[in-house]
Amino acid sequence: MTLTTVLFDADGVIQRPTVDWRSTLASYVPPGRPAEEFFLDLMAAEQPSLVGKGDFRTAMAEVLARWESTAELDQVLDLWHRFAADDTVVAMIQELRAAGISCHLATNQQPYRRAIMHDERQYGAWFDQTFYSCDLGVAKPDPAYFKAILTAIDRPAGEVLFVDDNAANIEGAREAGLHAEQYDLDTGPAALRTLLTSHGLPLG
């Protein structure tokens, strides 16, 4: 079946951090406390808000209090702003759209980050539709996430390619019947172009 649609993940595919998250977070941990455990606690606290449950800011504040961190909440939240899209990848997506291929954003994000991406940085202008896990109420790698998108775009799974940097997400997409390929932005946009053209997608 000919591909008509591509779903793109955000972090690691379209955009990358502009700061070293781990070293920055480590500076917020009191002396003698394990920085890696602090990082994992923050990530765990974020999980409910990725599917639209709970308040992200409240969850982060609770972690800071639990760890007796001297960092201000806004200082930590600022890290979620520290990312940049790759212009070459964005241009590639526009090239596909101009050739008649539907392109959609498919990303796990909580409402705070969604507002940055969608409202402040206007990611919606780059895609036919955008699908944030916090809006769908389900997150990758759950196959239900992909099935919800298929319903929204009204396309059979066999016409859709999903690109993500996470192996578990790739497996979830394949379980839902999509074509899926793993790609990491650190390998360079040229590798993404090769991947897409290998599926017969119209890129020069």
Side-chain angles (χ1 to χ4, degrees):
M1 190 177 291
T2 302
L3 293 179
T4 63
T5 306
V6 185
L7 307 180
F8 291 91
D9 176 42
D11 296 298
V13 173
I14 295 169
Q15 62 194 27
R16 57 164 62 90
T18 55
V19 296
D20 186 332
W21 271 54
R22 288 179 183 270
S23 64
T24 303
L25 287 172
S27 70
Y28 302 151
V29 180
R33 302 290 297 275
E36 183 63 20
E37 290 185 20
F38 175 65
F39 175 79
L40 293 175
D41 200 3
L42 283 172
M43 296 302 101
E46 183 185 33
Q47 292 305 303
S49 58
L50 291 178
V51 292
K53 298 178 180 179
D55 181 77
F56 173 67
R57 292 177 61 94
T58 300
M60 295 298 101
E62 289 173 352
V63 173
L64 294 179
R66 186 159 58 243
W67 281 78
E68 300 179 334
S69 174
T70 58
E72 298 290 336
L73 176 59
D74 286 344
Q75 188 178 7
V76 176
L77 293 177
D78 182 64
L79 284 174
W80 272 262
H81 291 259
R82 302 302 176 182
F83 64 93
D86 186 286
D87 291 339
T88 304
V89 173
V90 174
M92 207 178 305
I93 292 167
Q94 304 321 303
E95 187 178 347
L96 286 172
R97 294 179 70 197
I101 301 298
S102 296
C103 295
H104 308 287
L105 181 67
T107 180
N108 285 352
Q109 304 291 343
Q110 25 79 0
Y112 184 83
R113 192 94 178 291
R114 180 202 184 280
I116 298 167
M117 293 170 61
H118 197 78
D119 301 332
E120 293 181 15
R121 305 197 187 180
Q122 304 296 310
Y123 272 41
W126 300 342
F127 298 94
D128 293 281
Q129 294 187 64
T130 55
F131 297 100
Y132 296 88
S133 60
C134 61
D135 295 333
L136 295 178
V138 62
K140 300 177 285 184
D142 191 331
Y145 173 88
F146 301 100
K147 291 177 182 178
I149 293 177
L150 292 176
T151 298
I153 64 177
D154 193 24
R155 288 287 186 273
E159 289 186 8
V160 182
L161 172 66
F162 171 63
V163 181
D164 197 292
D165 63 325
N166 183 288
N169 294 342
I170 295 299
E171 289 307 310
R174 288 174 177 166
E175 188 175 335
L178 283 70
H179 301 275
E181 295 285 356
Q182 190 170 359
Y183 163 77
D184 193 309
L185 186 54
D186 287 341
T187 63
L192 178 58
R193 182 175 291 273
T194 298
L195 182 157
L196 295 170
T197 56
S198 73
H199 282 270
L201 291 165
L203 288 170

